[in-house]
Amino acid sequence: MSFRNQTILPAVRKWKELEQLLNSEYTYIVILDSHIAQLKSMVKIAGQANKKLFVHADLINGLKADEYAAEFICQEIKPAGIISTRSNVIATAKKKGVTAIQRLFLLDSIALETSYKIIGKTQPDFIEVLPGLMPNIIKEVHEKTCIPVFAGGLIRTKEEIDLAIQGGAVAVTTSDKELW
């Protein structure tokens, strides 16, 4: 299984990386680091190349990652989706009809249990599990939530991508250009 025929979601940090992907086979691209003044142009240029951007709301310089920022992103920037660790950002994205991706840092059992509670309240469209090197946890998260899972963080090889997909992830987010 894949996410809309993509098993890899390239995650870019710089304009040049985005520009390199405009002529690629990838439709969906993740924007990790950006500046508020660049976002609208990034989404526009990507759209002209038939690309869709998922914007990581927590990593936008110049915006506080809260529901007001999420509302601004949805209404003014108009990305395909918003990624955030914050449940209020996810809830706002869902209300505005923008794909909502809840990012989870699963450090231990307590973080996992807390995440299940958050997901139960926000019901995101997708969950991004970090680190993505835990196929058993990816499978568990998907089974407990019935929400499709992206795997991300610390994935460095094609074999690790395959393990995440075999574990139930629909796609892997990675900033490693060698894996694109």
Side-chain angles (χ1 to χ4, degrees):
M1 185 157 68
S2 65
F3 169 73
R4 300 179 184 158
N5 297 317
Q6 264 184 252
T7 54
I8 298 195
L9 298 171
V12 301
R13 297 179 189 279
K14 299 176 182 162
W15 259 104
K16 284 200 181 281
E17 293 172 346
L18 176 60
E19 288 171 348
Q20 291 168 353
L21 290 167
L22 294 179
N23 294 317
S24 73
E25 75 240 23
Y26 299 110
T27 301
Y28 292 87
I29 301 167
V30 176
I31 302 296
L32 288 179
D33 296 320
S34 58
H35 185 281
I36 184 61
Q38 297 175 327
L39 273 181
K40 195 164 191 142
S41 296
M42 292 173 114
V43 171
K44 181 180 179 185
I45 287 169
Q48 290 169 345
N50 295 317
K51 306 298 179 190
K52 298 177 186 211
L53 300 185
F54 292 145
V55 174
H56 195 308
D58 303 355
L59 300 177
I60 299 171
N61 292 308
L63 276 183
K64 180 181 177 184
D66 62 13
E67 63 272 15
Y68 303 109
E71 191 170 328
F72 172 79
I73 294 166
C74 293
Q75 291 177 345
E76 298 296 323
I77 307 301
K78 300 177 182 162
I82 292 180
I83 302 170
S84 182
T85 59
R86 302 174 187 275
S87 56
N88 57 345
V89 171
I90 296 303
T92 301
K94 285 197 58 101
K95 283 180 196 168
K96 296 293 181 180
V98 173
T99 300
I101 304 159
Q102 179 82 53
R103 185 178 243 200
L104 305 176
F105 291 103
L106 300 179
L107 306 172
D108 56 23
S109 298
I110 294 170
L112 183 60
E113 291 306 316
T114 301
S115 295
Y116 287 140
K117 291 175 187 170
I118 291 168
I119 291 164
K121 291 178 185 172
T122 61
Q123 290 296 302
D125 299 303
F126 296 90
I127 298 167
E128 184 183 24
V129 170
L130 285 92
L133 300 170
M134 306 177 296
N136 293 339
I137 299 298
I138 291 168
K139 182 178 181 183
E140 177 186 319
V141 168
H142 177 66
E143 287 175 351
K144 283 199 174 200
T145 65
C146 297
I147 297 171
V149 176
F150 297 153
L154 300 177
I155 295 177
R156 296 182 177 143
T157 67
K158 182 73 172 131
E159 294 76 24
E160 291 170 342
I161 290 171
D162 293 341
L163 285 172
I165 299 298
Q166 290 167 14
V170 295
V172 171
T173 61
T174 180
S175 59
D176 187 338
K177 293 180 215 165
E178 298 295 317
L179 298 175
W180 298 347

